[in-house]
């Protein structure tokens, strides 16, 4: 993930429903750029990354592919994240 984009309301407070992320290599779009005057900008077809809504971002599972996450509670009461596709344990998130 490259960066997080948080949109604001008109009063300046952050809107929790408008949070986007830029993910490296995902959601590539092509922008057609024409030359404008004598400025040395890049022209032609430019491939760039577009933001994705945070609800559409998935974790990379134990198989190296995107997966959903479920939680299982062990007999000692500890909670563990589990890969839904393979059933393997996922590491705890970094803080």
């Amino acid at each position: 993930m490259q960066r997080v984009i948080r949109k604001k309301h008109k009063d300046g407070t952050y809107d929790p429903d408008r949070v986007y992320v830029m993910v490296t290599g995902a959601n590539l779009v092509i922008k057609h750029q024409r030359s404008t005057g004598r400025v040395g900008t890049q022209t032609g077809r430019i491939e760039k990354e577009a933001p994705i809504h945070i609800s559409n971002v998935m974790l990379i599972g134990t198989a190296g592919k995107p997966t959903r996450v479920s939680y299982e509670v062990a007999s000692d009461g500890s909670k563990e994240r589990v890969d839904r596709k393979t059933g393997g344990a996922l590491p705890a998130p970094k803080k």
Side-chain angles (χ1 to χ4, degrees):
M1 180 167 45
Q2 290 180 333
R3 67 184 179 136
V4 177
I5 303 166
R6 298 175 64 199
K7 302 286 183 166
K8 293 183 178 180
H9 291 291
K10 288 185 178 181
D11 63 356
T13 60
Y14 286 107
D15 185 358
D17 296 329
R18 295 172 52 198
V19 179
Y20 301 91
V21 292
M22 300 282 282
V23 180
T24 306
N27 200 22
L28 295 174
V29 296
I30 294 176
K31 178 182 179 184
H32 297 271
Q33 180 73 37
R34 65 179 176 164
S35 60
T36 55
R38 295 186 178 189
V39 181
T41 60
Q42 187 177 0
T43 60
R45 292 170 48 127
I46 302 170
E47 191 172 89
K48 63 184 224 171
E49 294 159 348
I52 302 172
H53 192 268
I54 197 159
S55 66
N56 296 324
V57 178
M58 297 177 81
L59 287 176
I60 301 297
T62 55
K65 295 185 178 180
T67 185
R68 296 186 189 276
V69 177
S70 66
Y71 294 92
E72 290 182 358
V73 179
S75 60
D76 62 350
S78 62
K79 196 172 177 183
E80 184 179 49
R81 296 191 322 170
V82 178
D83 185 343
R84 293 292 295 261
K85 286 187 178 179
T86 63
L90 292 171
K94 295 178 183 176
K95 293 185 179 184

